[in-house]
Amino acid sequence: MASFQTLPGFRDFYPEDLAKRTHIFRVWRQTAAAFGFVEYDTPVLEPLDLYRAKSGDEIEGQLFSFTDKGDRQVALRPEMTPSVCRLVGERAGSLKRPIKWFSIAEFYRYERMQRGRGRCFFQLNADVFGEAGSEAEIELVALLVQCHRAFGLTEADFYVRLSDRTLWLHYLGSLGLDEGRIRMLLTAVDRFEKQGDDAFAPYVSAHGELPAELKAKLLAFLGIRSFEALEAALGGTAATPAIAARLADWRKLLGGLESMGLSRFVQVDLGVVRGLAYYTGFVFEAFDRKGELRALAGGGRYDDLVAKLGGPDLPAVGFAIGDMTFSLLLQERGLAPQISHAPDVYCVIGGEAERRAAFGDIQRLRTAGFKVEYPLREVAFGKQFKAAADSGAKVALIYGSDELARGVVKLRDLADRTEREVPAADIEASVRGFFEGP
RNA sequence: GCGGUCAUAGCUCAGUUGGUUAGAGCACAAGAUUGUGAAUCUUGGGGUCGCGGGUUCGAGUCCCGUUGGCCGCCCCA
């Protein structure tokens, strides 16, 4: 065995694994639909330039990319955002606003495997296009929260950390920093939680030692964990009209989430900035409360990206939930679904003559939507009853020669082990009666 | 790309200082059992001991390499 394995980082889904995955997707789909999002899909294989245009050349090392037989440079999609920007950009003029779309798709990244991260994974992507106001963020954060709650996860299990790159830019700008320094400092802020002071090393080697006063201000700002603290930090310095307007956006967002009853899932946290990326405003990440797992989901506003990829100016916000960390969390909280493949009906069949009689009923019952199972080969009755019980079926139909001679079939309740005889001529009515109750 | 750690049946594992034909439990299958279920007993299929090389009379065991898993670093769109 094992002469052929899956490629590193790729996964086989045995039936019990696929059942869990399918359950997660089904709940995500239902939830997104309830929020008025509609589903789309895009090709797995895209032009390599699509990702270079968005993220630059350096991401190429993280892609499954190759040259196809038509000499085109292509890549397996590592994310959905550029593709969905293309779709929306192409029809931006004719799509009703707001555009609320979602997808559930598999992605591929050439990375080293770790807990919660492989080379292939699924994501729920949800985006709102065409709404520049923070109403779009309300909608998305609410959907993100519900996509977790729908599985039974509570505020004790996960939360959403909410931050704002716009305010970071205003704040750092108000401290007199130029664009290059601001970009490097945002990177440092992003890494500070994991690396501590080491996160500032790249900045120090590029721009010299960080003045103690500036560093203290930075650490204070990234330590902000409430809107009140945010207001205080900004109001005290230079409450420019732009900052005042931005704080109003924050009030709208937090107020909307509070009205939805979601405040306990949301934590203001300026320590989140989400790398360099393409984010332009609010950014947010979902984590497990215990802090044992990597991020569950991430998202934010990217108002410039549709235009950057050749489309019109179109404001956009979105997030993605990955399936791997999410599954781990469900598993650890004991919320992974118990999926049953049990049939409704198990047919116990005497011999070949009885089998021919049973086949008609089996076909009728299956056509009527019942899940019906029977032994493919002739098997001793004792085995069949055991198989019927093991299958998890609620009821067994017993096709014996004695019964059929009298024009009946035995219907056995596998739970309480009671039996009764029912007319062989209309099994479907009897089975239907059994499942619909007295 | 870097570091740590592990690898024996589908799963969990045992395997003595290196010693004859590599074992157990669970699971699966058949039988005991030609009409009634969670039990018992018997039997069976399944392993190139991850792969390759080396040391040795002899390697699952020791050495080297390699592949893969897991954990962490870098990265994380």
PDB file of all heavy atoms in Angstrom, chain A residues 173-194:
ATOM      1  N   GLY A 173      -0.099  59.722  10.730  1.00  0.00           N
ATOM      2  CA  GLY A 173       0.134  60.959   9.985  1.00  0.00           C
ATOM      3  C   GLY A 173       0.177  62.163  10.935  1.00  0.00           C
ATOM      4  O   GLY A 173       1.008  63.068  10.785  1.00  0.00           O
ATOM      5  N   SER A 174      -0.707  62.149  11.923  1.00  0.00           N
ATOM      6  CA  SER A 174      -0.748  63.269  12.868  1.00  0.00           C
ATOM      7  C   SER A 174       0.519  63.332  13.705  1.00  0.00           C
ATOM      8  O   SER A 174       0.832  64.367  14.299  1.00  0.00           O
ATOM      9  CB  SER A 174      -1.968  63.142  13.781  1.00  0.00           C
ATOM     10  OG  SER A 174      -1.754  62.147  14.765  1.00  0.00           O
ATOM     11  N   LEU A 175       1.252  62.222  13.755  1.00  0.00           N
ATOM     12  CA  LEU A 175       2.514  62.215  14.496  1.00  0.00           C
ATOM     13  C   LEU A 175       3.670  62.671  13.608  1.00  0.00           C
ATOM     14  O   LEU A 175       4.828  62.616  14.015  1.00  0.00           O
ATOM     15  CB  LEU A 175       2.800  60.812  15.039  1.00  0.00           C
ATOM     16  CG  LEU A 175       1.776  60.281  16.062  1.00  0.00           C
ATOM     17  CD1 LEU A 175       2.099  58.862  16.449  1.00  0.00           C
ATOM     18  CD2 LEU A 175       1.722  61.180  17.295  1.00  0.00           C
ATOM     19  N   GLY A 176       3.350  63.067  12.389  1.00  0.00           N
ATOM     20  CA  GLY A 176       4.365  63.643  11.509  1.00  0.00           C
ATOM     21  C   GLY A 176       5.188  62.621  10.751  1.00  0.00           C
ATOM     22  O   GLY A 176       6.273  62.932  10.276  1.00  0.00           O
ATOM     23  N   LEU A 177       4.679  61.410  10.603  1.00  0.00           N
ATOM     24  CA  LEU A 177       5.452  60.373   9.913  1.00  0.00           C
ATOM     25  C   LEU A 177       5.135  60.371   8.423  1.00  0.00           C
ATOM     26  O   LEU A 177       3.995  60.632   8.020  1.00  0.00           O
ATOM     27  CB  LEU A 177       5.109  58.999  10.509  1.00  0.00           C
ATOM     28  CG  LEU A 177       5.558  58.828  11.959  1.00  0.00           C
ATOM     29  CD1 LEU A 177       4.751  57.750  12.649  1.00  0.00           C
ATOM     30  CD2 LEU A 177       7.042  58.528  12.018  1.00  0.00           C
ATOM     31  N   ASP A 178       6.140  60.041   7.607  1.00  0.00           N
ATOM     32  CA  ASP A 178       5.891  59.980   6.167  1.00  0.00           C
ATOM     33  C   ASP A 178       5.339  58.609   5.787  1.00  0.00           C
ATOM     34  O   ASP A 178       5.274  57.685   6.601  1.00  0.00           O
ATOM     35  CB  ASP A 178       7.166  60.283   5.387  1.00  0.00           C
ATOM     36  CG  ASP A 178       8.250  59.272   5.682  1.00  0.00           C
ATOM     37  OD1 ASP A 178       7.976  58.056   5.644  1.00  0.00           O
ATOM     38  OD2 ASP A 178       9.386  59.705   5.974  1.00  0.00           O
ATOM     39  N   GLU A 179       4.974  58.484   4.530  1.00  0.00           N
ATOM     40  CA  GLU A 179       4.249  57.285   4.091  1.00  0.00           C
ATOM     41  C   GLU A 179       5.076  56.013   4.255  1.00  0.00           C
ATOM     42  O   GLU A 179       4.569  54.987   4.673  1.00  0.00           O
ATOM     43  CB  GLU A 179       3.825  57.465   2.628  1.00  0.00           C
ATOM     44  CG  GLU A 179       2.729  56.513   2.207  1.00  0.00           C
ATOM     45  CD  GLU A 179       2.374  56.698   0.722  1.00  0.00           C
ATOM     46  OE1 GLU A 179       2.364  57.846   0.257  1.00  0.00           O
ATOM     47  OE2 GLU A 179       2.125  55.667   0.059  1.00  0.00           O
ATOM     48  N   GLY A 180       6.370  56.110   3.909  1.00  0.00           N
ATOM     49  CA  GLY A 180       7.230  54.938   4.029  1.00  0.00           C
ATOM     50  C   GLY A 180       7.325  54.457   5.465  1.00  0.00           C
ATOM     51  O   GLY A 180       7.243  53.256   5.741  1.00  0.00           O
ATOM     52  N   ARG A 181       7.503  55.397   6.377  1.00  0.00           N
ATOM     53  CA  ARG A 181       7.579  55.008   7.789  1.00  0.00           C
ATOM     54  C   ARG A 181       6.258  54.450   8.280  1.00  0.00           C
ATOM     55  O   ARG A 181       6.220  53.477   9.047  1.00  0.00           O
ATOM     56  CB  ARG A 181       7.961  56.247   8.634  1.00  0.00           C
ATOM     57  CG  ARG A 181       9.416  56.620   8.514  1.00  0.00           C
ATOM     58  CD  ARG A 181       9.658  58.030   9.035  1.00  0.00           C
ATOM     59  NE  ARG A 181      10.846  58.592   8.387  1.00  0.00           N
ATOM     60  CZ  ARG A 181      12.042  58.646   8.971  1.00  0.00           C
ATOM     61  NH1 ARG A 181      12.188  58.204  10.189  1.00  0.00           N
ATOM     62  NH2 ARG A 181      13.065  59.122   8.327  1.00  0.00           N
ATOM     63  N   ILE A 182       5.175  55.061   7.820  1.00  0.00           N
ATOM     64  CA  ILE A 182       3.853  54.584   8.255  1.00  0.00           C
ATOM     65  C   ILE A 182       3.652  53.137   7.829  1.00  0.00           C
ATOM     66  O   ILE A 182       3.197  52.292   8.612  1.00  0.00           O
ATOM     67  CB  ILE A 182       2.738  55.478   7.660  1.00  0.00           C
ATOM     68  CG1 ILE A 182       2.720  56.829   8.396  1.00  0.00           C
ATOM     69  CG2 ILE A 182       1.398  54.790   7.753  1.00  0.00           C
ATOM     70  CD1 ILE A 182       1.736  57.821   7.815  1.00  0.00           C
ATOM     71  N   ARG A 183       4.048  52.838   6.587  1.00  0.00           N
ATOM     72  CA  ARG A 183       3.837  51.473   6.101  1.00  0.00           C
ATOM     73  C   ARG A 183       4.638  50.477   6.940  1.00  0.00           C
ATOM     74  O   ARG A 183       4.135  49.432   7.340  1.00  0.00           O
ATOM     75  CB  ARG A 183       4.224  51.372   4.622  1.00  0.00           C
ATOM     76  CG  ARG A 183       3.769  50.069   3.994  1.00  0.00           C
ATOM     77  CD  ARG A 183       4.054  50.026   2.484  1.00  0.00           C
ATOM     78  NE  ARG A 183       3.491  51.165   1.790  1.00  0.00           N
ATOM     79  CZ  ARG A 183       4.205  51.984   1.007  1.00  0.00           C
ATOM     80  NH1 ARG A 183       5.491  51.811   0.856  1.00  0.00           N
ATOM     81  NH2 ARG A 183       3.620  52.976   0.379  1.00  0.00           N
ATOM     82  N   MET A 184       5.875  50.822   7.232  1.00  0.00           N
ATOM     83  CA  MET A 184       6.695  49.899   8.011  1.00  0.00           C
ATOM     84  C   MET A 184       6.182  49.765   9.446  1.00  0.00           C
ATOM     85  O   MET A 184       6.235  48.687  10.043  1.00  0.00           O
ATOM     86  CB  MET A 184       8.151  50.364   8.028  1.00  0.00           C
ATOM     87  CG  MET A 184       8.811  50.241   6.668  1.00  0.00           C
ATOM     88  SD  MET A 184      10.607  50.143   6.767  1.00  0.00           S
ATOM     89  CE  MET A 184      10.838  48.446   7.260  1.00  0.00           C
ATOM     90  N   LEU A 185       5.681  50.846   9.989  1.00  0.00           N
ATOM     91  CA  LEU A 185       5.174  50.772  11.356  1.00  0.00           C
ATOM     92  C   LEU A 185       3.897  49.943  11.423  1.00  0.00           C
ATOM     93  O   LEU A 185       3.677  49.214  12.397  1.00  0.00           O
ATOM     94  CB  LEU A 185       4.932  52.188  11.899  1.00  0.00           C
ATOM     95  CG  LEU A 185       6.220  52.923  12.305  1.00  0.00           C
ATOM     96  CD1 LEU A 185       5.908  54.349  12.735  1.00  0.00           C
ATOM     97  CD2 LEU A 185       6.947  52.171  13.415  1.00  0.00           C
ATOM     98  N   LEU A 186       3.068  50.049  10.385  1.00  0.00           N
ATOM     99  CA  LEU A 186       1.854  49.214  10.389  1.00  0.00           C
ATOM    100  C   LEU A 186       2.231  47.734  10.353  1.00  0.00           C
ATOM    101  O   LEU A 186       1.603  46.899  11.011  1.00  0.00           O
ATOM    102  CB  LEU A 186       0.967  49.555   9.185  1.00  0.00           C
ATOM    103  CG  LEU A 186       0.116  50.821   9.325  1.00  0.00           C
ATOM    104  CD1 LEU A 186      -0.758  51.014   8.091  1.00  0.00           C
ATOM    105  CD2 LEU A 186      -0.754  50.753  10.572  1.00  0.00           C
ATOM    106  N   THR A 187       3.256  47.415   9.574  1.00  0.00           N
ATOM    107  CA  THR A 187       3.728  46.027   9.556  1.00  0.00           C
ATOM    108  C   THR A 187       4.200  45.608  10.944  1.00  0.00           C
ATOM    109  O   THR A 187       3.905  44.496  11.408  1.00  0.00           O
ATOM    110  CB  THR A 187       4.877  45.880   8.552  1.00  0.00           C
ATOM    111  OG1 THR A 187       4.415  46.298   7.259  1.00  0.00           O
ATOM    112  CG2 THR A 187       5.340  44.443   8.466  1.00  0.00           C
ATOM    113  N   ALA A 188       4.919  46.510  11.599  1.00  0.00           N
ATOM    114  CA  ALA A 188       5.399  46.201  12.946  1.00  0.00           C
ATOM    115  C   ALA A 188       4.232  45.998  13.909  1.00  0.00           C
ATOM    116  O   ALA A 188       4.241  45.068  14.735  1.00  0.00           O
ATOM    117  CB  ALA A 188       6.300  47.326  13.444  1.00  0.00           C
ATOM    118  N   VAL A 189       3.214  46.863  13.796  1.00  0.00           N
ATOM    119  CA  VAL A 189       2.032  46.729  14.661  1.00  0.00           C
ATOM    120  C   VAL A 189       1.374  45.370  14.442  1.00  0.00           C
ATOM    121  O   VAL A 189       0.981  44.686  15.378  1.00  0.00           O
ATOM    122  CB  VAL A 189       1.028  47.859  14.369  1.00  0.00           C
ATOM    123  CG1 VAL A 189      -0.318  47.575  15.020  1.00  0.00           C
ATOM    124  CG2 VAL A 189       1.582  49.196  14.860  1.00  0.00           C
ATOM    125  N   ASP A 190       1.308  44.978  13.162  1.00  0.00           N
ATOM    126  CA  ASP A 190       0.674  43.708  12.821  1.00  0.00           C
ATOM    127  C   ASP A 190       1.404  42.544  13.494  1.00  0.00           C
ATOM    128  O   ASP A 190       0.783  41.574  13.914  1.00  0.00           O
ATOM    129  CB  ASP A 190       0.684  43.536  11.306  1.00  0.00           C
ATOM    130  CG  ASP A 190      -0.069  42.295  10.870  1.00  0.00           C
ATOM    131  OD1 ASP A 190      -1.189  42.105  11.361  1.00  0.00           O
ATOM    132  OD2 ASP A 190       0.467  41.534  10.044  1.00  0.00           O
ATOM    133  N   ARG A 191       2.711  42.649  13.606  1.00  0.00           N
ATOM    134  CA  ARG A 191       3.491  41.528  14.137  1.00  0.00           C
ATOM    135  C   ARG A 191       3.776  41.648  15.623  1.00  0.00           C
ATOM    136  O   ARG A 191       4.308  40.718  16.231  1.00  0.00           O
ATOM    137  CB  ARG A 191       4.828  41.452  13.389  1.00  0.00           C
ATOM    138  CG  ARG A 191       4.615  41.139  11.926  1.00  0.00           C
ATOM    139  CD  ARG A 191       5.909  41.090  11.165  1.00  0.00           C
ATOM    140  NE  ARG A 191       5.630  40.874   9.749  1.00  0.00           N
ATOM    141  CZ  ARG A 191       6.536  40.980   8.793  1.00  0.00           C
ATOM    142  NH1 ARG A 191       7.785  41.270   9.099  1.00  0.00           N
ATOM    143  NH2 ARG A 191       6.202  40.767   7.534  1.00  0.00           N
ATOM    144  N   PHE A 192       3.432  42.790  16.193  1.00  0.00           N
ATOM    145  CA  PHE A 192       3.834  43.050  17.572  1.00  0.00           C
ATOM    146  C   PHE A 192       3.280  41.995  18.527  1.00  0.00           C
ATOM    147  O   PHE A 192       3.967  41.546  19.444  1.00  0.00           O
ATOM    148  CB  PHE A 192       3.358  44.445  18.003  1.00  0.00           C
ATOM    149  CG  PHE A 192       3.766  44.793  19.402  1.00  0.00           C
ATOM    150  CD1 PHE A 192       5.066  45.179  19.680  1.00  0.00           C
ATOM    151  CD2 PHE A 192       2.864  44.704  20.450  1.00  0.00           C
ATOM    152  CE1 PHE A 192       5.461  45.484  20.971  1.00  0.00           C
ATOM    153  CE2 PHE A 192       3.247  45.000  21.746  1.00  0.00           C
ATOM    154  CZ  PHE A 192       4.551  45.388  22.000  1.00  0.00           C
ATOM    155  N   GLU A 193       2.054  41.588  18.283  1.00  0.00           N
ATOM    156  CA  GLU A 193       1.424  40.639  19.204  1.00  0.00           C
ATOM    157  C   GLU A 193       2.227  39.345  19.309  1.00  0.00           C
ATOM    158  O   GLU A 193       2.343  38.751  20.375  1.00  0.00           O
ATOM    159  CB  GLU A 193       0.011  40.336  18.717  1.00  0.00           C
ATOM    160  CG  GLU A 193      -0.824  39.562  19.700  1.00  0.00           C
ATOM    161  CD  GLU A 193      -2.301  39.624  19.339  1.00  0.00           C
ATOM    162  OE1 GLU A 193      -2.761  40.713  18.908  1.00  0.00           O
ATOM    163  OE2 GLU A 193      -2.971  38.609  19.462  1.00  0.00           O
ATOM    164  N   LYS A 194       2.792  38.897  18.181  1.00  0.00           N
ATOM    165  CA  LYS A 194       3.536  37.640  18.191  1.00  0.00           C
ATOM    166  C   LYS A 194       5.005  37.844  18.539  1.00  0.00           C
ATOM    167  O   LYS A 194       5.619  37.005  19.178  1.00  0.00           O
ATOM    168  CB  LYS A 194       3.441  36.971  16.817  1.00  0.00           C
ATOM    169  CG  LYS A 194       2.061  36.412  16.531  1.00  0.00           C
ATOM    170  CD  LYS A 194       2.059  35.604  15.260  1.00  0.00           C
ATOM    171  CE  LYS A 194       2.725  34.255  15.470  1.00  0.00           C
ATOM    172  NZ  LYS A 194       2.532  33.371  14.302  1.00  0.00           N
TER     173      LYS A 194
END
